[in-house]
């Protein structure tokens, strides 16, 4: 029964996917005498946590009940009060927790506080599922660096465009719709100047019914060549656009981009934007996740820099061919297949006529 109720708490937590950054997704369920009397999930940073919502719904029924929560209740004052104290005051008799909170401000202190108050604590129920749900938070809270995902749409022979540069559309509508769902889930989307100049993309989230949250748009543009009239700088969107340049970018171009509404970050000396340095700057702004949408040069640089955590690959069952047709990853590559970074925990599923593959990077020697 513990797993059954925790599974429900995890489903509740996932309802806020893409909305809680820089906080984790958390769900809570209050059960008394075999009946669910309270449910809740953390909906947005700065709002009440999952435990508070569930305890409010349970009311007086919380006394003597069991609370199932996907992450250790916090024990410190931040934007909201400590959930551990709320659990104690509600009269909860038992707490079932999926995983301890790696945040140094909590890190076991919340569980200890519950036990000191006489509450029975069970830890580790569906911990693997809870960790997977909050993979972004777990990396960010430990390193203050964003979780980075490489996304690409390729043909079966590994092409992202034809030899003439045409890429619309390699994959079908179902795959493209899921791509927009990924944009909705991650804090930022990153592309290179080549993509801006070739396609002039909007880099917004377009889900059915006008739903979706636009990610922060980040453009790697070492010399500030983004046109002030580009779509990334001219649209009605609450998300800002960041242009990452080097010191080789002329002052007048930087001034023009800032005049067009962009935030310009001078990241490195040049000639290319230093990706690890950029990730540190984004992390300092509480950007906890980055979706890289190519092209080949950017993916190659990200792979060589070792900043990638996950791959999100859309594969169309069609053959484009052509020795001059580009692939999804550029750069120098490896000399021996044995040196290549591998993906682990790989999963694949169908999306219409296409296939979607995701997995986690395992770097050699890392």
């Amino acid at each position: 029964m513990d797993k059954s109720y925790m599974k429900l708490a995890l489903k509740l937590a996932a309802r806020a996917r893409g909305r809680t950054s820089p906080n984790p997704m958390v769900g809570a369920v209050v059960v008394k005498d075999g009946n669910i009397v309270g449910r809740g999930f953390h909906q947005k940073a700065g709002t009440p946590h999952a435990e508070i919502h569930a305890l409010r719904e349970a009311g007086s029924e919380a006394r003597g009940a069991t609370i199932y929560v996907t992450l250790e209740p916090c024990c410190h004052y931040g934007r909201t009060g400590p959930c551990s104290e709320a659990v104690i005051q509600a009269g909860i008799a038992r707490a079932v927790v999926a995983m301890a909170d790696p945040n140094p401000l909590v890190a076991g202190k919340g569980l200890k506080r519950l036990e000191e108050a006489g509450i029975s604590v069970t830890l580790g129920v569906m911990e693997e599922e809870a960790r997977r749900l909050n993979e972004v938070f777990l990396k960010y809270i430990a390193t203050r660096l964003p979780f980075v995902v490489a996304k690409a749409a390729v043909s079966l022979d590994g092409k992202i465009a034809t030899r003439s540069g045409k890429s619309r559309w390699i994959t079908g509508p179902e795959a493209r719709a899921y791509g927009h769902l990924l944009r909705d889930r991650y804090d930022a989307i990153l592309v290179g100047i080549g993509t801006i100049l070739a396609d002039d993309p909007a880099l917004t989230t377009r889900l059915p019914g006008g739903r979706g949250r636009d990610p922060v748009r980040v453009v790697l543009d070492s010399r500030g060549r983004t046109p002030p009239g580009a779509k990334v700088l001219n649209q009605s969107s609450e998300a800002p656009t960041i242009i990452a340049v080097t010191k080789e970018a002329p002052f007048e171009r930087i001034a023009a981009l800032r005049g067009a509404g962009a935030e310009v970050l001078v990241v490195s000396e040049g000639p290319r934007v230093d990706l690890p340095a950029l990730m540190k700057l984004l992390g300092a702004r509480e950007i906890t996740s980055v979706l890289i949408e190519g092209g080949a040069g950017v993916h190659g640089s990200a792979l060589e820099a070792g900043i990638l955590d996950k791959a999100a690959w859309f594969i169309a069952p069609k053959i484009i061919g052509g020795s001059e047709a580009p692939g999804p990853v550029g750069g120098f590559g490896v000399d021996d297949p044995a040196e290549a970074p591998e993906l682990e925990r790989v999963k694949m599923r169908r999306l219409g006529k296409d296939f979607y593959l995701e997995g986690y990077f395992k770097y050699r020697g890392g």
Side-chain angles (χ1 to χ4, degrees), residues 3 52 84 179 187 206 219 239 298 343:
K3 285 188 176 181
I52 305 304
S84 55
D187 288 353
R206 299 180 293 279
V219 180
V298 175
L343 294 183

Side-chain angles (χ1 to χ4, degrees), residues 103-334:
N103 186 339
L105 295 174
V106 186
K109 301 182 185 71
L111 298 176
K112 182 179 180 181
R113 180 71 187 96
L114 296 182
E115 291 175 333
E116 289 175 346
I119 296 175
S120 173
V121 174
T122 300
L123 176 65
V125 176
M126 299 192 75
E127 179 175 358
E128 182 179 346
E129 292 82 354
R131 295 185 69 85
R132 188 162 58 247
L133 176 70
N134 276 312
E135 60 190 15
V136 168
F137 171 75
L138 292 179
K139 180 185 178 181
Y140 180 73
I141 202 66
T143 66
R144 293 296 169 181
L145 295 172
F147 186 90
V148 184
V149 180
K151 171 185 173 289
V154 303
S155 62
L156 194 60
D157 57 335
K159 307 296 185 180
I160 60 172
T162 66
R163 65 178 184 274
S164 62
K166 294 181 180 179
S167 60
R168 297 186 179 181
W169 297 104
I170 289 177
T171 54
E174 294 87 352
R176 297 199 299 273
Y178 194 78
H180 280 279
L181 186 62
L182 291 180
R183 289 184 180 184
D184 178 67
R185 291 177 174 178
Y186 292 105
D187 288 353
I189 180 172
L190 184 149
V191 301
I193 182 60
T195 297
I196 298 297
L197 296 178
D199 301 332
D200 192 21
L203 301 183
T204 55
T205 299
R206 299 180 293 279
L207 294 175
R211 297 179 298 108
R213 175 191 57 85
D214 290 339
V216 174
R217 294 171 289 276
V218 182
V219 180
L220 301 181
D221 183 8
S222 58
R223 294 188 57 80
R225 294 186 293 150
T226 300
K231 288 180 182 177
V232 290
L233 297 174
N234 295 273
Q235 56 186 298
S236 57
S237 173
E238 294 183 1
T241 296
I242 297 174
I243 309 293
V245 303
T246 71
K247 289 186 177 180
E248 293 188 359
F251 174 79
E252 60 272 16
R253 289 183 184 174
I254 292 177
L257 290 171
R258 286 174 173 159
E263 180 179 354
V264 180
L265 295 180
V266 181
V267 179
S268 48
E269 298 286 340
R272 302 195 316 182
V273 173
D274 184 302
L275 285 176
L278 176 60
M279 292 304 111
K280 288 182 180 180
L281 291 174
L282 296 180
R285 294 161 182 259
E286 294 191 333
I287 292 176
T288 66
S289 57
V290 176
L291 180 68
I292 298 181
E293 287 202 0
V298 175
H299 279 142
S301 296
L303 189 66
E304 290 170 2
I307 66 169
L308 297 177
D309 296 293
K310 189 175 184 178
W313 237 241
F314 297 87
I315 306 168
K318 59 180 66 171
I319 307 293
I320 289 178
S323 59
E324 296 181 5
V329 182
F332 293 106
V334 298

Side-chain angles (χ1 to χ4, degrees), residues 21 60 190 209-210 302 306 338:
S21 179
S60 61
L190 184 149

Side-chain angles (χ1 to χ4, degrees), residues 341-360:
E342 294 183 0
L343 294 183
E344 55 187 5
R345 290 176 284 157
V346 175
K347 293 183 179 180
M348 178 178 281
R349 61 189 177 92
R350 291 292 296 267
L351 286 173
K353 294 182 179 180
D354 304 314
F355 295 87
Y356 173 66
L357 179 149
E358 68 177 26
Y360 298 83

